Amino acid sequence: MSLVEPVTVVPRPVAQLETVIGADRQRRLADAARQFRHRLGDRTIWNVSSTAVGGGVAEMLQVILGYADDLQIASKWVVISGDAEFFVITKRLHNQIHGQPAGGHLTAGEAGHYARMLAANAVELLDHIRPGDLVLLHDPQTAGLTEYLAHAGALVAWRCHIGVDWENEYTRSAWDFLRPHLASARGFVFSRREYVPPWIPAGKVAIIPPSIDPFSPKNQFLAPETVRGILATIGVLDGGLPHEPGAFERRAGGIGMVTRPAEVTADGLPGPDDPVAVQVSRWDRLKDMAAVMDGFARYVAPASDGYLVLAGPAVAGVSDDPEGAAVFGDCLLRWRDLPARIRSRILLVTLPLDDPDENAAMVNALQRHASVITQKSLAEGFGLTVAEGMWKGRPVVGSAVGGIIDQIADGTGVLLPDPTDLAAFGTAVRSLLADQEAASRIGQAAKAHIARNYVGDVHLLRYERLLGSMISAG
Ligand code: UDP
C-alpha cells in the first residue's frame, strides 16, 4: 500500500465568481493567471497535507485548487500517511504551537519517529515531484519533508495554518522542533502576521488568509425548505421527514441528495421555527465545545426558548486528529450531567464524512438555519467556520482570538474579548436570539464583508505573488 495518495480536486468555474466579486476583480484575476501560467512554464505546483477531509486545510485546498485548475495552473494535491504515533506527535506539536503543554517537550525518540515517517513519505513523493517544481507543504505534519524535497531540487514553501500572537515555553518548544526541518524552505505562508516566528526572514513571508467558495456545497444558496429538509433528514429538526431529500449542487456538477442521517444525541428537537444557536467544529479542545454547552446551559437556556446544536465530524473520520473521540466523549458526559429541562435543548451531532459534498451540504444547512453562529475557540488559526457563517448572513459570536479577530470587523458580528467569560458569551448569544432585527442587520454587514475580503480571487492573487517570486529567485 502506498503512503502518499492523490486527492481529486474538482475544477471550480472561476467565471461564476463574477456575480460576487464584480467585473474588475474578475479581470484582474484573469490577467494575473495568464502571466503566472507563463512564468510557471512546465512546472507543477504540489500541495502536500495530511488529510483530505474534515478541517479547514482540506476545505481551503478544495476551493483554491479547484479555481487554479479552471485557470489552467498545473497543481496537484497529495496526502501523506503516518501511523498512530506520528499523528499523536504532530497533534502535540499543533497544540504546543497554540501554547498548550501537550505532554511537554518531544523526546529524541519521538523526533526520530517523526523524521523517519516523513522520510518514507518523501521517497514516494520524489517519484513524482521534479526538480524545479513548486511544493506547498501544509502544517507541522508535513514540515519534515522540506529538506528531502528541497535537496532533490524542488522549490519548497511551508504553509502554516495555525498560531498564536504570543509565546510561552510550549510555543518555543514546538518552534525549536520545527525550525531545523524548515531550514531549506524558500517561502513561508501564515494566515496572520502575528503568527510568524521571529527567526523567519521577513522577505520570505507571505500573509495569506484562507477564503471561501461561495458556490461550493458548503456555501451555496439553499432555499429555506431545502434547509429544513436536510435538517429533518439528518435528524436535528422536528416535524417529520421531508417528502423529498434535500438537494444540492455537487462540486463536480450534478445534483446530490442528503440521505444519510447524522448521529444525534438529544432529548428533544427544535421545531422549524425555534431559534437555534449552532457551533460547527472539529472535536478539538481548543474549539471549546464543552464550554459552549456550559455557557448556553447557564446563561441562555434558562432565559430563552432557543436550542443549541454542537456539530462536528464523525469522530473516527478525521485521520490526523487522534483526540476527536476523547473530546466528543467529554461533551457527551457533560451533556448527560445537565438538568433534564436544559439537556432537552442541547443537541450533540456528528456528521458522516462518507461523502464530503453531502457532509458539506449538512454543514451549510446547519449554518443557514442558525439564528446565531458561535465560534468560541480558545485559539484559532483562521476559523473558516466564521467566514462561512458570515457569508450566509448570520450573526457570529466569536472569541477575539487568532483569525477570528481579523474576520469580525466592527458591526459584522460580536467579538468576545475573553473566550473563557461564559456570562459574556451567554449574554451575546441570548440577545441575538431575542433581537431578530439586530441579528439580521449584523448578518447582512457580515455577508458584504466576506464578499469583499475572503473570496478566492484575493487568495489566489497572493499565492501568485509568492510563487512567482520563488520562481524568480530560482
Ligand atoms: N467542517 C466540516 N464538517 C464537519 C465539521 C467541520 O466540513 O463536520 C468544516 C467547517 O465547515 C470548516 C472546516 O471544517 O470549513 C473547519 O475549519 P476551521 O478553520 O474553522 O477550523 P480547523 O478545523 O481548521 O481548526
Side-chain angles (χ1 to χ4, degrees):
M1 214 188 81
S2 46
L3 292 172
V4 174
E5 292 292 338
V7 182
T8 308
V9 173
V10 181
R12 308 288 311 154
V14 170
Q16 67 183 1
L17 274 181
E18 190 164 333
T19 55
V20 178
I21 66 176
D24 284 352
R25 272 168 69 176
Q26 186 80 16
R27 217 175 3 259
R28 219 172 307 140
L29 179 61
D31 290 346
R34 196 173 322 107
Q35 287 165 20
F36 184 64
R37 276 197 302 272
H38 182 68
R39 272 177 115 172
L40 196 59
D42 62 357
R43 300 163 198 266
T44 299
I45 305 170
W46 296 84
N47 281 271
V48 185
S49 75
S50 60
T51 178
V53 290
V57 178
E59 183 72 23
M60 189 208 77
L61 283 174
Q62 277 294 353
V63 174
I64 209 76
L65 298 180
Y67 286 129
D69 202 280
D70 191 48
L71 291 164
Q72 292 159 25
I73 290 166
S75 28
K76 291 190 191 298
W77 176 11
V78 291
V79 167
I80 58 162
S81 311
D83 58 8
E85 185 184 350
F86 174 78
F87 285 123
V88 168
I89 292 169
T90 57
K91 184 75 188 185
R92 284 173 60 196
L93 281 170
H94 174 102
N95 288 340
Q96 287 181 350
I97 288 179
H98 283 133
Q100 312 280 308
H105 303 294
L106 291 163
T107 63
E110 287 160 343
H113 190 78
Y114 174 84
R116 272 192 303 282
M117 246 5 293
L118 288 172
N121 279 282
V123 170
E124 284 188 21
L125 281 169
L126 287 172
D127 285 342
H128 307 284
I129 296 176
R130 294 163 307 170
D133 278 356
L134 292 151
V135 182
L136 279 164
L137 300 175
H138 293 268
D139 275 343
Q141 294 91 324
T142 63
L145 292 167
T146 310
E147 294 304 310
Y148 300 107
L149 305 184
H151 188 69
L155 308 180
V156 182
W158 184 61
R159 203 304 179 210
C160 183
H161 295 266
I162 55 179
V164 287
D165 46 16
W166 40 272
E167 53 175 350
N168 66 13
E169 68 171 291
Y170 307 111
T171 62
R172 278 191 291 273
S173 165
W175 287 119
D176 285 349
F177 180 94
L178 290 170
R179 183 174 176 174
H181 287 289
L182 294 166
S184 307
R186 291 166 184 249
F188 292 84
V189 184
F190 287 82
S191 301
R192 313 185 70 213
R193 190 159 301 282
E194 291 83 343
Y195 293 169
V196 184
W199 48 266
I200 298 182
K204 289 189 176 178
V205 176
I207 304 300
I208 311 183
S211 56
I212 61 151
D213 177 358
F215 303 99
S216 67
K218 174 77 51 76
N219 296 309
Q220 65 191 224
F221 175 74
L222 299 173
E225 60 275 16
T226 307
V227 167
R228 285 195 291 270
I230 291 174
L231 297 185
T233 301
I234 68 174
V236 301
L237 205 59
D238 208 0
L241 277 178
H243 299 297
E244 302 273 336
F248 60 92
E249 268 181 55
R250 288 192 171 280
R251 277 174 298 188
I255 299 298
M257 299 285 177
V258 173
T259 54
R260 291 181 174 84
E263 274 191 34
V264 179
T265 304
D267 274 355
L269 297 181
D273 298 321
D274 286 322
V276 179
V278 171
Q279 179 160 316
V280 176
S281 293
R282 285 180 301 105
W283 303 99
D284 179 312
R285 291 200 196 286
L286 296 170
K287 309 287 182 183
D288 219 16
M289 296 281 242
V292 171
M293 178 159 54
D294 197 17
F296 184 87
R298 283 159 64 185
Y299 299 105
V300 183
S304 123
D305 52 5
Y307 284 74
L308 172 69
V309 174
L310 293 178
V315 284
V318 184
S319 57
D320 68 346
D321 197 354
E323 287 176 5
V327 173
F328 178 71
D330 187 37
C331 287
L332 207 54
L333 287 178
R334 295 207 198 187
W335 180 84
R336 288 206 187 105
D337 278 348
L338 291 169
R341 74 199 146 73
I342 303 276
R343 198 170 56 222
S344 66
R345 289 210 271 128
I346 299 179
L347 291 73
L348 299 181
V349 179
T350 63
L351 303 171
L353 287 160
D354 315 61
D355 172 345
D357 283 354
E358 186 190 33
N359 174 278
M362 293 174 185
V363 172
N364 188 345
L366 282 166
Q367 290 169 331
R368 280 185 193 278
H369 187 73
S371 309
V372 178
I373 288 176
T374 73
Q375 194 58 56
K376 207 195 74 59
S377 305
L378 300 174
E380 192 63 77
F382 179 69
L384 263 178
T385 47
V386 172
E388 290 164 2
M390 292 170 76
W391 167 250
K392 291 168 184 106
R394 294 290 168 263
V396 178
V397 175
S399 311
V401 297
I404 301 179
I405 302 173
D406 302 333
Q407 294 181 72
I408 301 185
D410 226 15
T412 67
V414 177
L415 272 178
L416 300 168
D418 174 2
T420 63
D421 182 348
L422 295 186
F425 167 75
T427 304
V429 171
R430 202 175 59 228
S431 66
L432 285 166
L433 285 176
D435 186 349
Q436 285 186 10
E437 198 272 322
S440 144
R441 183 170 19 87
I442 292 173
Q444 286 320 305
K447 180 167 187 176
H449 181 66
I450 296 302
R452 252 191 323 274
N453 298 293
Y454 295 106
V455 172
D457 62 322
V458 181
H459 194 166
L460 281 161
L461 288 171
R462 291 188 184 182
Y463 265 117
E464 180 263 332
R465 226 166 294 145
L466 170 77
L467 298 176
S469 68
M470 282 168 60
I471 294 172
S472 305

